[in-house]
């Protein structure tokens, strides 16, 4: 039985009230972590928590078809990682501070914003792409192609739209 029959999953999932459990898990995780000394967690704690999460997803990921069903473990994991990475120390923090990771973080909003457009275009023009080259029938190749296109469009979106808009807004509201 479905909780909301007839309502497409992406539609109801995007509505804020249906994100309340994630919000509450995040708040509870914050309340638990806020009083802890940041030095008590090491890279090993992060690695162990990451291994537990991956193990859980490998075992139960295919069983629970609705991805928000996993949020009870994913949201606290994300909160824990944010908390433990906030001191800027350790292997994971160094990886995230690497210039490539920083660049990927900067273009991530554009990547998120443009992915539906790019995927929709690939679906709509799949037959045309296959006429151009039968290589586009290979799922791995189309994934790499899509990733490259998204990285290019996202980079352009960041430098041509996001950054100029951010500078303009900062200038407007700094007075």
């Amino acid at each position: 039985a479905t909780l909301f029959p007839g309502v497409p999953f992406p539609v109801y999932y995007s509505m804020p009230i249906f994100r309340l459990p994630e919000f509450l898990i995040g708040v509870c995780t914050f309340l638990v972590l806020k009083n802890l000394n940041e030095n008590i967690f090491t890279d090993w704690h992060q690695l162990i928590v990451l291994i537990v999460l991956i193990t859980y997803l490998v075992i139960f990921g295919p069983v629970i078809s609705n991805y928000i069903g996993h949020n009870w473990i994913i949201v606290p994991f994300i909160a824990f990682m944010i908390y433990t990475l906030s001191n800027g120390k350790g292997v994971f923090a160094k990886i995230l501070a690497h210039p490539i990771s920083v660049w990927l973080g900067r273009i991530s909003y554009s990547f998120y914003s443009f992915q539906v457009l790019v995927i929709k275009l690939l679906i709509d023009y799949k037959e045309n792409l296959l006429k151009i080259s039968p290589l586009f029938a290979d799922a791995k190749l189309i994934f790499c192609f899509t990733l490259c296109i998204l990285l290019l469009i996202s980079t352009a979106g960041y430098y041509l739209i996001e950054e100029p808009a951010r500078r303009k807004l900062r200038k407007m509201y700094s007075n």
Side-chain angles (χ1 to χ4, degrees):
T2 313
L3 186 59
F4 297 96
V7 177
F9 176 71
V11 171
Y12 95 79
Y13 183 66
S14 66
M15 297 171 69
I17 190 64
F18 295 108
R19 306 305 293 266
L20 184 63
E22 296 159 10
F23 173 75
L24 293 175
I25 292 171
V27 169
C28 291
T29 306
F30 166 76
L31 292 172
V32 168
L33 295 176
K34 78 173 185 163
N35 295 320
L36 295 177
N37 180 352
E38 67 185 49
N39 296 327
I40 65 170
F41 295 112
T42 65
D43 288 346
W44 287 107
H45 292 103
Q46 291 175 337
L47 184 61
I48 290 166
V49 169
L50 181 63
I51 289 169
V52 167
L53 176 71
I54 290 170
T55 304
Y56 165 83
L57 290 175
V58 165
I59 295 169
F60 296 106
V63 178
I64 301 173
S65 61
N66 182 341
Y67 57 90
I68 60 173
H70 303 290
N71 282 352
W72 71 271
I73 192 169
I74 291 173
V75 173
F77 165 78
I78 292 169
F80 174 79
M81 292 304 279
I82 289 170
Y83 176 80
T84 57
L85 291 168
S86 66
N87 66 11
K89 297 175 186 168
V91 175
F92 292 111
K94 287 178 184 168
I95 291 169
L96 292 174
H98 189 276
I100 292 174
S101 298
V102 172
W103 172 73
L104 288 171
R106 286 190 175 136
I107 68 165
S108 65
Y109 182 76
S110 285
F111 191 94
Y112 172 76
S113 299
F114 288 120
Q115 71 181 348
V116 172
L117 173 68
V118 171
I119 292 169
K120 176 89 170 90
L121 287 171
L122 285 171
I123 291 169
D124 290 347
Y125 293 98
K126 180 181 178 184
E127 297 303 321
N128 293 345
L129 287 172
L130 288 172
K131 287 177 188 174
I132 293 170
S133 173
L135 293 174
F136 285 112
D138 182 5
K140 291 176 185 169
L141 183 66
I142 200 78
F143 171 78
C144 292
F145 174 75
T146 305
L147 182 63
C148 290
I149 294 295
L150 271 169
L151 288 172
L152 286 170
I153 292 171
S154 301
T155 301
Y158 175 76
Y159 288 108
L160 299 175
I161 300 168
E162 284 185 60
E163 265 303 296
R166 183 187 61 78
R167 282 193 295 266
K168 187 175 183 176
L169 288 170
R170 192 172 269 181
K171 187 176 179 181
M172 271 176 32
Y173 291 106
S174 65
N175 297 333

